[in-house]
Amino acid sequence: MTIRWHTAILELKLRQKYRNTFFVPKINCTIVTNQQCTERKGEKTMKMYKKVLAAALAGAMAVSMSATAFAADENGYIVKATNEDSKSSDNDLVIAIEGSVSSMDPANIPDTNAISATRGVYETLVSFDDNQELVGKLAESWEISDDSLTYTFKLRQGVKFQDGTDFNAAAFKANYDRVVDKDNNLRQRRTFIIANADGSETSRVESIETPDDYTVVIKLAKAWAPFINRLTQFCMISPAALEEYGNDIMNHPCGTGPYVCTEWEEGDHTSFERNDDYWGDKPGVDTVTIKEVPEAGARTAMLQTGEADFIYPTPSDQIEAIKGTDDVNILTTDSNIMRYVTLNMDLEQLSDVKVRQAMNYAIDKDAYIQLMYSGYGKPATSVVPSIIGGYEEQEAYAYDVDKAKELMKEAGYEDGFKLTLWGDNTTQEIKGMTFISQQLAQIGIEVDVQPMEPATVSDKIYVDKEDAEINMWYVNWSASDFTMDGSLRSLLYSTMCPPTSANTAYFNDADFDKDMDEGLATANEEEQAKYYGDAQKIAWEACPWLFLGNDQIIYSTKSYLSGVYVSPDGAFNFANATLAQ
């Protein structure tokens, strides 16, 4: 089902408002829904889409090109609550988020919202603390051999899964065997299995030994620098539950974590209750409900009225509305979130690098950061954010419409062409996509913006190459292991195209692949810097993406809530939540 709005009046207002700032072209927007969503939500869904679109376009009208950001203090507070003595009326935590919890299977997770939700139920051998330091979780200790090939973990004893099954070395091995089984087609498989260009596969792990119930010895085929970081994403699921439910485990979550998942309704909410048999410190709240609220204004209203205790993200244009509420804190932190638009290089009109470079020159990144984040961010200066180890600054694609037009002419597209742009149906995402369409129209590219529910986007993205319909995808990525390999391999390596992974530009460069492989194979930091620096340069010059920016994370919380925070990768953690009553 599609609905199209022609926005002539809005365009006139935009042109009048921005005649001295930036060009505003005709806006096309097609709202796309899947049949399942339409059947479930019907007319209510379509009305919500209209409201989202209207809010997004109104936001575009309201942007100012002057700096408007509120300054954050040294502790990250943009706004600090003046009423610090407020109390919660109950012990039930409500978190309102922009996107969707798309999976409750930790081995098959496509986004940070799903990571956040599953981490309430599941745990890993090692994890990052709130200072991004590596600490033991289900492993009490570990040792790494001098040749970086053998990792020995001593597991925590006395831990049980939520169905009463013991956590032990056999449980770890069962989870590994499940993930690497090709028939299961799990996203996490690519952590341990290398897909070679000739179609063959190579295992990163040579063997896993379990000499006793609480010792796991992992031997790698080759040294692999990010391995310990990758294990922060490898969650333990009850082997008994896997035996019973198989890959339907997403509907029957069973881990060792502080919460038990009681209900998961994708597109609406995910509910948890405290695990009173948890092996560690018990949570301070009775229940947690993650509500999916794509409209920014609705999330803000929920926080102000107390319907929600924590909202994420908080768009910067909502700060003014929130700051008068005396029991609300607004905080910010640096992120490793990269904002970009993938360009399908297999399309004839996007196959010429001059066209892709022209499109990058046509985007005013400073205006984008101001519009979307009120200055809480910075334009992209590489294919990864500067917080990632090995980052190397590149020569920026400075906003230059004349240069963009000249490149389009050289490529034979002086009159432009038409493209579609896919993205999630949230207020913020639609606003960003609308901005991109406005900018590209300056060089003759007519963009049809197509917001969709996240599940619909995923279904359309992860298809075989011959079935791909993608032109452009407005998206973001953060590497939860904070490595260069985690930041780039899944997105740009030649064998990582859908449905295997998210190389939706269908970027294929042998030199880039070689640099990524060499950087991964060496433990020498200087050699890593060289290889990863070369890889960044190759991708930057090839322009498989529109490079937009790296924003700061902004979230809001009631003053009576503590123990909930957002990590630099955009995942929120509620394991230690406490509500003052």
Side-chain angles (χ1 to χ4, degrees):
M1 176 182 292
T2 61
I3 292 181
R4 184 176 298 275
W5 286 270
H6 297 288
T7 53
I9 296 176
L10 174 58
E11 289 160 14
L12 177 60
K13 292 180 179 178
L14 286 167
R15 290 177 188 277
Q16 291 171 339
K17 186 171 183 65
Y18 295 122
R19 58 183 178 271
N20 296 320
T21 53
F22 60 83
F23 177 77
V24 180
K26 184 175 180 65
I27 300 168
N28 281 329
C29 187
T30 303
I31 303 296
V32 178
T33 68
N34 61 10
Q35 186 64 30
Q36 179 183 7
C37 170
T38 303
E39 290 175 352
R40 186 175 73 236
K41 298 181 180 178
E43 192 65 26
K44 180 179 178 182
T45 298
M46 302 315 299
K47 289 179 180 178
M48 183 273 287
Y49 285 158
K50 292 181 182 180
K51 289 172 66 180
V52 170
L53 180 66
L57 297 180
M61 290 174 61
V63 67
S64 167
M65 292 300 106
S66 61
T68 59
F70 297 88
D73 67 17
E74 60 182 7
N75 295 314
Y77 285 93
I78 299 174
V79 173
K80 190 169 177 60
T82 56
N83 179 7
E84 298 183 355
D85 297 323
S86 65
K87 305 294 183 183
S88 174
S89 60
D90 54 41
N91 203 32
D92 302 312
L93 172 62
V94 176
I95 297 172
I97 63 172
E98 178 182 55
S100 175
V101 176
S102 55
S103 175
M104 282 301 293
D105 181 348
N108 212 30
I109 288 177
D111 55 65
T112 51
N113 285 329
I115 290 174
S116 304
T118 54
R119 292 307 183 269
V121 177
Y122 295 107
E123 295 178 307
T124 56
L125 296 193
V126 294
S127 65
F128 291 113
D129 63 15
D130 55 1
N131 294 313
Q132 303 311 306
E133 297 291 334
L134 202 63
V135 296
K137 198 69 172 179
L138 293 177
E140 290 188 322
S141 63
W142 64 93
E143 294 180 356
I144 305 173
S145 62
D146 291 340
D147 60 6
S148 299
L149 291 176
T150 303
Y151 291 71
T152 303
F153 295 90
K154 294 295 182 180
L155 305 184
R156 191 177 300 278
Q157 299 186 31
V159 177
K160 290 185 179 293
F161 290 97
Q162 292 158 3
D163 61 359
T165 303
D166 289 333
F167 166 71
N168 52 31
F172 178 89
K173 182 65 164 56
N175 275 272
Y176 174 80
D177 290 344
R178 181 215 178 204
V179 165
V180 298
D181 186 338
K182 191 171 185 178
D183 290 340
N184 289 326
N185 194 30
L186 299 171
R187 294 174 188 270
Q188 200 164 52
R189 185 173 187 267
R190 60 179 179 258
T191 297
F192 302 104
I193 304 296
I194 302 170
N196 300 314
D198 62 1
S200 64
E201 295 182 333
T202 303
S203 176
R204 298 187 189 278
V205 176
E206 182 178 289
S207 66
I208 294 180
E209 300 172 1
T210 56
D212 60 57
D213 284 348
Y214 295 99
T215 303
V216 172
V217 181
I218 304 172
K219 293 184 179 179
L220 302 181
K222 292 181 180 180
W224 183 28
F227 179 63
I228 192 72
N229 287 38
R230 291 294 174 87
L231 288 182
T232 65
Q233 308 302 307
F234 187 46
C235 294
M236 296 296 100
I237 305 174
S238 164
L242 286 174
E243 181 70 23
E244 181 175 359
Y245 299 112
N247 287 336
D248 193 41
I249 193 69
M250 69 167 60
N251 292 307
H252 307 276
C254 187
T256 62
Y259 296 95
V260 176
C261 182
T262 56
E263 189 174 39
W264 171 53
E265 185 177 336
E266 185 180 359
D268 193 82
H269 70 278
T270 309
S271 301
F272 309 83
E273 63 182 26
R274 181 174 55 227
N275 177 12
D276 289 326
D277 296 321
Y278 181 55
W279 62 267
D281 294 334
K282 308 296 189 295
V285 298
D286 295 333
T287 68
V288 177
T289 302
I290 300 173
K291 294 186 176 182
E292 301 174 19
V293 186
E295 295 179 81
R299 292 196 304 278
T300 297
M302 290 174 67
L303 184 71
Q304 291 174 312
T305 61
E307 184 181 350
D309 308 298
F310 182 97
I311 65 172
Y312 172 68
T314 301
S316 54
D317 59 11
Q318 295 291 308
I319 294 175
E320 185 67 36
I322 296 174
K323 71 175 186 175
T325 308
D326 65 1
D327 63 346
V328 169
N329 294 313
I330 306 177
L331 297 100
T332 184
T333 187
D334 290 334
S335 84
N336 67 341
I337 301 173
M338 182 74 179
R339 306 282 176 177
Y340 61 101
V341 175
T342 62
L343 307 174
N344 183 351
M345 295 168 59
D346 283 347
L347 289 180
E348 181 179 355
Q349 60 267 47
L350 295 178
S351 63
D352 191 327
V353 67
K354 290 183 178 180
V355 170
R356 301 192 302 273
Q357 289 175 341
M359 294 170 73
N360 272 282
Y361 281 117
I363 306 295
D364 187 339
K365 288 82 172 179
D366 289 320
Y368 172 80
I369 294 296
Q370 190 60 44
L371 167 67
M372 301 297 292
Y373 310 109
S374 297
Y376 284 102
K378 54 189 176 183
T381 51
S382 183
V383 288
V384 296
S386 58
I387 196 173
I388 298 295
Y391 157 86
E392 189 168 296
E393 184 174 354
Q394 308 296 312
E395 183 179 352
Y397 289 97
Y399 181 51
D400 190 334
V401 175
D402 289 338
K403 186 170 186 177
K405 288 180 177 179
E406 183 60 33
L407 285 167
M408 290 287 285
K409 183 177 181 180
E410 291 176 10
Y413 288 105
E414 185 175 8
D415 296 328
F417 45 77
K418 295 180 180 181
L419 291 171
T420 57
L421 175 57
W422 295 350
D424 290 354
N425 64 322
T426 66
T427 308
Q428 192 77 346
E429 300 294 279
I430 294 173
K431 184 165 69 172
M433 289 188 284
T434 301
F435 178 81
I436 297 301
S437 72
Q438 294 165 353
Q439 297 283 279
L440 293 180
Q442 300 174 99
I443 58 173
I445 299 176
E446 182 181 337
V447 177
D448 181 15
V449 174
Q450 296 187 359
M452 313 175 201
E453 290 211 353
T456 306
V457 178
S458 181
D459 289 343
K460 292 173 73 67
I461 289 292
Y462 293 103
V463 297
D464 292 332
K465 186 174 182 179
E466 57 268 23
D467 298 323
E469 299 176 351
I470 183 174
N471 291 187
M472 300 189 294
W473 182 22
Y474 183 88
V475 67
N476 64 83
W477 176 267
S478 60
S480 293
D481 65 359
F482 297 93
T483 66
M484 185 66 70
D485 193 76
S487 298
L488 291 181
R489 183 175 295 272
S490 293
L491 306 182
L492 292 173
Y493 199 82
S494 62
T495 59
M496 290 296 184
C497 298
T500 300
S501 191
N503 180 1
T504 51
Y506 296 91
F507 182 63
N508 188 343
D509 188 289
D511 291 334
F512 174 88
D513 287 358
K514 182 178 179 181
D515 283 328
M516 291 299 297
D517 290 340
E518 295 288 356
L520 188 64
T522 181
N524 183 290
E525 292 186 1
E526 289 186 4
E527 291 182 4
Q528 276 188 347
K530 176 187 180 301
Y531 291 126
Y532 286 144
D534 288 346
Q536 290 170 75
K537 186 173 188 294
I538 289 169
W540 185 259
E541 292 178 352
C543 291
W545 302 341
L546 299 181
F547 305 110
L548 300 179
N550 164 226
D551 55 299
Q552 289 181 283
I553 287 168
I554 304 176
Y555 60 97
S556 301
T557 174
K558 285 290 192 179
S559 59
Y560 52 69
L561 173 64
S562 60
V564 183
Y565 64 92
V566 183
S567 299
D569 66 345
F572 54 91
N573 187 302
F574 56 92
N576 298 315
T578 299
L579 291 166
Q581 293 178 281

